[in-house]
Amino acid sequence: MLILDTFNHISTNLAALLMINQLQPPLPNTCKSPQYWGDSFKFVSKMINSSFLGKTGKVELDKFGRRSNFDLEVIQYKLGVRVLEGLWTHDEGLFQARQLHVKDNVLKEVSHDTEKDNLIVATILSAPYAMKSQTSSNQNGTRYEGYAMDLIAEVAKLVGFKYSLLIVDEYGAKDANGNWSGIIGEVVSGGADLAIADLTINSEREKVVDFSMPFLDLGISILFTSDTSKSINLFSFMTPLSPMVWGMMLVSGLAVSLVLFLIAKISPFETAELDTEEGESPFMSLRHCLWFSVASWVQQGCDFLPRAFSTRIIASFWWFFTLIMISSYTANLAAFLTIERMESPISSVQDLARSDIKYGSIQSGSTLGFFRDSSDPFYKKMFNKMTQCDDCLTESNGKGIDKVMQESGQYAFFMESVTIEYHIERNCKLSKIGENLDSKSYGIAMKKGSVLRQYITSAIIKLRQEGVLDRLKKKWWKEERGGGSCEEEEQSSDGVSTLSLKNLGGIFLVLLLGLIMGLVVVGLEILWVNCKKKNFLI
Ligand code: ASP
């Protein structure tokens, strides 16, 4: 264009001078005898003193014959889209483009009503994409904030359009007549020019609307809560062994004491007569036999030991038994105490399908569509179960989360992974179960064939490249509205969680019980001796 305007300027001025016969043609020139063109100054001064409106703006030259009043656009093609990367001006040099130049008629083309000077952007109130502002609401109505709200503001700034919001209740599903509901329906019917939300790109929707380049990647996952209060209890230290094993250990202790007592009675090597120096063997008393097995069981040893070969065999086997039991208990105890807060009855979608736990999703969204349109009979079966259940499908993500919390451990909600991440960051009782079922993305929807698509896509590429999308994700997921509140409760980096009184309180109770029992028994002992003395005195 610059060259075209240059030739136009030359030819117009040449023609003008020739028309009034003010120009003598230059003499034939050779390299050996160069000749100056006598009228060249006349021609140059005519060019300097004239101007015209060319393709690249007003064409005019300074006193040295140079042109400076033009701008150069630096264009790059990315993924087939023309992206304005920068602008060069004579005065300021090259600077990075911040504003994508959208010609005025683009906005007119996109809106149905040519009078309209701002676009209607439909959205859904869903955290953290669009939420009512907590801080301010002005006289013109409620203000909205969130990831999608910040994103559309950035895109509008880059593309150069103004917009107003339209709040819609549903994401959008196709009914039996092929009509679309919700946010997709608004775009299809022209009620909205753009739709921005946690709006999933799928092939069914792609047939009726155009999507921009994706701005977030995700997959369907399971939101669930298991009643951890049930699994964390004061007597957690008992959990490594089953009640049956605890019972068997008690019976074994008693049996060993009894057998020791009996064998000691009949064994000639345990009797006092054979070893008069040491006196009577303590194993001749059942009380001492019980004391021996308890002391061995808790690995404390005892101040008396069996003497006979027979009683020593029994003691050795009992020690071996307690060694194995205590080692198994210790190993299992650590594992039990650390994993109990993560304990969940399900760990995958297969577990969920097999269990009695009810499950559902949003009733008019792409998540339910995934199960409906899946070619996998397993997911189809899950779809039938969800739709046959009276109250498994919800109107919104918020209602699904409330249901998961209310029916703690009895209801699981299929939701999109990024949104789950947001909620588990704030509600520590919630958790994400298993791997994602699929992988897809969110995009901005607009009318089929909209001229805005390439500009919005360019803007999203630019925002991605400049790290704005990452910054917004961090802001709305980790920082705003209580982000990071579950981090303290999370396990520390070495994978070990602190044990609290909630886990180990029971062992303190056992100690207290021992002290009380000791006090009661000492009372009984005093009573016993006193009674005996009285009897003796009487
Ligand atoms: N983001 C989804 C949609 O666009 C909502 C869902 O079904 O989870 O429909």
Side-chain angles (χ1 to χ4, degrees):
M1 289 298 165
L2 279 174
I3 294 172
L4 186 73
D5 278 350
T6 309
F7 279 111
N8 270 342
H9 197 42
I10 294 171
S11 65
T12 339
N13 286 301
L14 266 180
L17 288 174
L18 282 172
M19 279 226 337
I20 52 170
N21 288 331
Q22 288 207 1
L23 273 190
Q24 295 301 320
L27 295 169
N29 242 340
T30 60
C31 293
K32 284 185 187 153
S33 59
Q35 306 272 340
Y36 292 103
W37 181 30
D39 283 344
S40 59
F41 289 106
K42 211 188 280 172
F43 172 60
V44 169
S45 75
K46 169 83 179 141
M47 293 247 295
I48 288 172
N49 293 323
S50 65
S51 66
F52 78 106
L53 197 63
K55 296 268 178 210
T56 54
K58 193 175 180 195
V59 179
E60 57 185 353
L61 305 178
D62 63 11
K63 60 178 181 176
F64 304 108
R66 290 182 307 214
R67 188 185 169 198
S68 55
N69 65 337
F70 63 91
D71 299 339
L72 291 176
E73 287 183 346
V74 183
I75 303 291
Q76 215 188 339
Y77 279 83
K78 287 177 187 159
L79 303 174
V81 175
R82 184 178 178 272
V83 179
L84 180 67
E85 283 291 317
L87 204 64
W88 181 92
T89 64
H90 182 266
D91 298 332
E92 292 169 64
L94 179 71
F95 61 88
Q96 291 281 273
R98 196 51 208 155
Q99 172 93 26
L100 298 172
H101 295 280
V102 179
K103 294 178 188 76
D104 289 345
N105 60 352
V106 169
L107 296 186
K108 284 186 187 155
E109 264 183 76
V110 81
S111 62
H112 317 283
D113 174 2
T114 42
E115 300 288 297
K116 209 158 63 172
D117 62 353
N118 67 349
L119 304 180
I120 306 290
V121 177
T123 192
I124 291 179
L125 290 185
S126 167
Y129 308 96
M131 302 167 281
K132 279 190 183 153
S133 172
Q134 286 179 325
T135 46
S136 56
S137 84
N138 58 18
Q139 287 160 337
N140 306 334
T142 323
R143 289 173 67 93
Y144 297 96
E145 61 180 21
Y147 179 90
M149 298 297 96
D150 283 358
L151 178 60
I152 194 69
E154 289 286 341
V155 169
K157 218 193 295 165
L158 283 172
V159 178
F161 63 81
K162 291 197 212 124
Y163 62 94
S164 38
L165 288 174
L166 171 73
I167 306 294
V168 185
D169 295 336
E170 288 178 12
Y171 291 90
K174 198 163 69 168
D175 67 16
N177 306 323
N179 298 326
W180 282 85
S181 64
I183 206 167
I184 298 286
E186 287 295 342
V187 176
V188 171
S189 67
D193 301 300
L194 295 175
I196 185 162
D198 44 338
L199 189 63
T200 313
I201 303 174
N202 66 18
S203 57
E204 203 187 15
R205 289 174 177 174
E206 187 81 59
K207 283 181 199 147
V208 291
V209 294
D210 272 349
F211 280 102
S212 68
M213 191 182 182
F215 56 84
L216 267 182
D217 301 320
L218 56 122
I220 297 174
S221 196
I222 304 167
L223 182 77
F224 189 63
T225 180
S226 56
D227 197 354
T228 44
S229 57
K230 271 187 213 151
S231 61
I232 297 182
N233 65 59
L234 291 179
F235 293 94
S236 297
F237 67 89
M238 300 281 284
T239 38
L241 303 179
S242 70
M244 179 72 168
V245 176
W246 282 112
M248 291 290 286
M249 271 172 59
L250 192 69
V251 172
S252 314
L254 291 174
V256 166
S257 314
L258 197 67
V259 173
L260 267 178
F261 171 68
L262 291 176
I263 292 193
K265 280 262 181 227
I266 53 173
S267 166
F269 296 99
E270 194 67 46
T271 52
E273 294 83 42
L274 290 176
D275 195 349
T276 41
E277 263 175 45
E278 287 185 36
E280 193 189 52
S281 164
F283 288 91
M284 303 303 278
S285 129
L286 189 59
R287 213 155 41 100
H288 284 98
C289 291
L290 278 170
W291 179 241
F292 174 80
S293 46
V294 170
S296 315
W297 186 61
V298 291
Q299 316 246 291
Q300 292 307 307
C302 195
D303 53 349
F304 53 88
L305 294 166
R307 297 172 200 163
F309 197 57
S310 50
T311 44
R312 281 180 182 177
I313 289 178
I314 295 171
S316 315
F317 276 83
W318 175 238
W319 286 337
F320 183 67
F321 170 85
T322 54
L323 175 76
I324 299 298
M325 291 309 286
I326 297 292
S327 318
S328 315
Y329 172 81
T330 318
N332 239 9
L333 181 69
F336 264 82
L337 293 180
T338 47
I339 62 162
E340 76 183 352
R341 70 175 283 271
M342 299 173 269
E343 207 176 81
S344 166
I346 51 168
S347 60
S348 65
V349 65
Q350 284 78 11
D351 284 355
L352 179 63
R354 272 195 298 269
S355 70
D356 294 336
I357 299 166
K358 287 201 275 180
Y359 48 85
S361 73
I362 294 187
Q363 63 196 13
S364 63
S366 62
T367 304
L368 190 64
F370 163 82
F371 288 94
R372 186 193 54 224
D373 304 334
S374 173
S375 53
D376 188 336
F378 173 75
Y379 292 135
K380 268 255 177 311
K381 221 168 134 193
M382 292 191 96
F383 171 75
N384 291 335
K385 204 166 161 196
M386 277 192 261
T387 44
Q388 277 156 18
C389 158
D390 286 343
D391 58 346
C392 288
L393 300 179
T394 65
E395 281 163 28
S396 65
N397 279 335
K399 292 201 172 147
I401 297 165
D402 291 347
K403 201 166 162 57
V404 169
M405 289 301 295
Q406 276 159 17
E407 300 185 21
S408 177
Q410 298 307 311
Y411 180 77
F413 189 59
F414 284 109
M415 206 167 143
E416 286 162 329
S417 54
V418 272
T419 317
I420 292 184
E421 276 166 33
Y422 171 82
H423 289 285
I424 61 178
E425 186 79 28
R426 284 152 185 84
N427 184 343
C428 317
K429 290 203 172 120
L430 293 172
S431 53
K432 176 177 175 288
I433 303 289
E435 298 288 312
N436 291 352
L437 274 52
D438 61 351
S439 66
K440 48 199 182 184
S441 314
Y442 293 150
I444 300 177
M446 62 212 87
K447 216 175 163 56
K448 202 93 194 127
S450 169
V451 284
L452 263 184
R453 183 189 190 171
Q454 62 161 324
Y455 295 101
I456 290 180
T457 291
S458 306
I460 288 178
I461 293 172
K462 195 167 173 54
L463 293 172
R464 242 184 214 267
Q465 256 178 12
E466 289 177 356
V468 178
L469 293 190
D470 291 336
R471 210 179 57 232
L472 288 183
K473 173 109 197 281
K474 189 160 171 251
K475 173 182 170 192
W476 289 106
W477 266 254
K478 301 269 171 201
E479 292 162 7
E480 297 284 332
R481 300 200 181 211
S485 43
C486 292
E487 258 159 38
E488 286 159 25
E489 284 203 17
E490 258 171 32
Q491 289 196 339
S492 58
S493 53
D494 54 3
V496 180
S497 63
T498 321
L499 296 177
S500 64
L501 259 193
K502 264 193 272 172
N503 312 92
L504 291 176
I507 200 74
F508 291 94
L509 288 182
V510 171
L511 180 64
L512 191 67
L513 184 75
L515 294 178
I516 294 172
M517 271 170 71
L519 285 174
V520 171
V521 172
V522 79
L524 289 176
E525 280 173 354
I526 293 168
L527 208 68
W528 172 259
V529 172
N530 280 346
C531 287
K532 260 190 149 179
K533 270 188 196 160
K534 272 186 194 154
N535 282 345
F536 178 71
L537 284 174
I538 286 164

